[in-house]
Every structure is written in structure tokens, then in C-alpha cells.
Amino acid sequence: MTERLAVAGGQDLPAGHHSLAWGVQASEAPGTLHVLAVTGGITVGPREGREILFGRNRPDVHVCVGEHDRRISRHQGALTHHGDKWWISTLGRLPLRLPGARLLFNQDEPIPLAAGYTPLFIRGSSGREHLLEVHVRAKDGEELLTQHGASTRPPNTWALSPAEKLALVVLGQRYLLHELYPNPLSWRQAAEHLNEIRPGEKWTHKKVEHLIVGVRDRLSRGGVAGLTREEVGEPIGNTLNHNLIRELMENTTLVPPDLGLLHD
């Protein structure tokens, strides 16, 4: 396999490395940057003017993302250290999507990255979302504003069967994509999507409902609040599934790389 660009003092993160949403080593220097795609990534320390490139062209970037998708630019974006912060900029034609559905275009000024975990998305061919995970090590004693699974300590995750996890990723994909105002899919929408990606498994809306209600009941018995009709009251709407997905993301049982299940 063709090698990526190297960085003096940098360390490679292998393909299959655990999600950066699960945290990084507390012993690292403040400002240490981790960048991870499905093909692997890199860890580098802060240094004025240091630039980390990411994009499709593996030999010319430090982190390769969307290698087989020609909609992704060869140089899609850059992370640059300046003034004690890491700054993100878009170099390619497609914008980067940040949490809260913010789009960063190539004509926009770079924006600073907050300490902690930030998932970045690039929409490629056939609606595929390419994920680039970024984590900036906080200064000692700095209070992290955690969101959607960012954590400084290993969290206690919930055990899920493969079928439960797949159904939950489909149901909660808008949350994993960090859309601004996400809602769970309906049972019927989830079943239709599951049949598209797993046509041999004969999913129905009743099968999806049975699996998800089973997870809600199990977590409720385990002490998670807001997962029963009695607690929430009428009208229910999507509240129970919304609370379930939030719980699973906040303790990193579900993390953005799980979106890869939608493309298996």
C-alpha cells in the first residue's frame, strides 16, 4: 500500500484504531492532535505553523480519506497550528460538515477547533458520508465541553447484539451524522433502510420495534431515566427513542464510525 506523508515526531494510528470519541491518553501534552479516518491516521504535537493535510491522494496527504471516491478532493482540507490553537480549513470543492450541521467551504476563513472530540463529515458519491475524527488534547485542568460521546475517562458502555446495534445505527443515523436538529427514523423508515443494506434479513417495522423496545426496557431496568411512557407522559412522539439514542451516544456505545455499518 502506498505510504502517506510523514510528519517529524508524528505517530501513525493504524486502520481499525478505536474511535477518538472514546478519548485519548491523559499523559499526552496539551494541544496534541489526533486525526483518524477508516484507513488510519496520525498523532502529532503542537508546533507553530505545523500543517496536517487530509484528502483522497494518499501519497500527498498525512491522513487519507475517501481514497476510492472521486468526489473527494485530493487535498480536501488542512489542520494548521497557529497561536496555540489548531485551525481547520477546507481546500477541496466539497465543504466539510462540522457538528451542528455547520458547513465550512474553501472560500471560508479557517476556524479554531475546541479541545476534545470533533467529527468532520464529507459527503461523497451516492450520498456516502466520509468521516474524519479529530481530537485535541485539552490543557491540564481545562474543563472540556463534552458532547455526543466526547469523554476524558473510559465510559461504561451498554452491551448490544449485532442486530440491535445495526438497527440502532439506522434508527439514529441523523444523530451520528451530527445534524442540527436530529430525529429518529420511524419504524417503517428504519425497516426500509435495513432491507436496502441487508436485503436477505427480511426486516419489518415490527421486527425493528421489537428490538429497540427490548433495548429501552433493558436500559431502563439498568437505571437509565426517560425510556418509559410512565416517565415521559403523553404525547410520546419520538421522545423515548430520542432519549435512548442520546444515552447510547453520550456513553459512546454508539459513535460516528458505526455509520460504516450502513455501507457494509
Side-chain angles (χ1 to χ4, degrees):
M1 181 178 290
T2 306
E3 294 295 325
R4 306 187 303 266
L5 284 180
V7 179
Q11 296 182 349
D12 285 340
L13 298 176
H17 188 278
H18 68 73
S19 171
L20 299 182
W22 296 345
V24 298
Q25 295 181 16
S27 60
E28 292 173 339
T32 297
L33 176 73
H34 300 250
V35 189
L36 182 65
V38 295
T39 57
I42 194 170
T43 297
V44 294
R47 191 178 71 186
E48 184 68 21
R50 172 164 277 170
E51 182 180 64
I52 302 300
L53 295 170
F54 58 90
R56 174 167 51 90
N57 192 16
R58 179 182 291 270
D60 290 333
V61 295
H62 302 100
V63 180
C64 184
V65 59
E67 185 170 23
H68 305 293
D69 191 337
R70 292 183 63 187
R71 288 200 64 191
I72 307 302
S73 295
R74 289 179 286 246
H75 285 172
Q76 180 61 46
L79 293 149
T80 307
H81 193 265
H82 175 66
D84 202 33
K85 289 183 179 293
W86 286 99
W87 300 75
I88 179 73
S89 58
T90 298
L91 306 177
R93 294 184 178 182
L94 295 175
L96 298 173
R97 192 174 79 253
L98 286 75
R102 178 174 182 177
L103 295 176
L104 182 66
F105 293 87
N106 58 12
Q107 64 266 35
D108 294 337
E109 292 294 321
I111 61 173
L113 284 173
Y117 176 70
T118 303
L120 306 171
F121 298 93
I122 315 158
R123 177 161 290 182
S125 302
S126 303
R128 181 168 186 178
E129 298 279 354
H130 298 277
L131 170 66
L132 189 75
E133 296 187 276
V134 180
H135 194 291
V136 178
R137 174 77 170 87
K139 296 179 181 178
D140 292 339
E142 183 178 6
E143 185 72 20
L144 287 182
L145 297 177
T146 60
Q147 57 179 341
H148 296 282
S151 178
T152 57
R153 296 179 181 177
N156 295 319
T157 59
W158 294 94
L160 300 172
S161 71
E164 289 173 339
K165 186 163 189 175
L166 176 62
L168 282 160
V169 169
V170 169
L171 189 77
Q173 60 189 274
R174 295 166 180 165
Y175 297 77
L176 291 166
L177 288 166
H178 282 258
E179 293 186 1
L180 187 56
Y181 302 113
N183 278 303
L185 268 61
S186 69
W187 303 131
R188 197 170 299 278
Q189 287 173 321
E192 290 174 354
H193 195 164
L194 284 161
N195 281 320
E196 289 176 5
I197 60 177
R198 301 287 179 89
E201 296 182 7
K202 298 181 179 179
W203 288 87
T204 66
H205 68 279
K206 287 293 185 182
K207 180 178 178 179
V208 177
E209 182 179 4
H210 176 75
L211 275 177
I212 303 303
V213 170
V215 175
R216 287 202 318 242
D217 290 346
R218 191 164 71 244
L219 268 62
S220 179
R221 292 193 301 271
V224 178
L227 299 182
T228 67
R229 287 179 174 271
E230 292 73 22
E231 293 172 293
V232 172
E234 299 292 344
I236 293 292
N238 287 326
T239 303
L240 300 182
N241 284 342
H242 171 86
N243 292 346
L244 173 64
I245 295 165
R246 287 293 190 189
E247 165 66 20
L248 294 173
M249 290 186 66
E250 285 171 4
N251 63 33
T252 68
T253 300
L254 296 181
V255 291
D258 290 331
L259 289 164
L261 292 173
L262 305 185
H263 305 290
D264 286 351

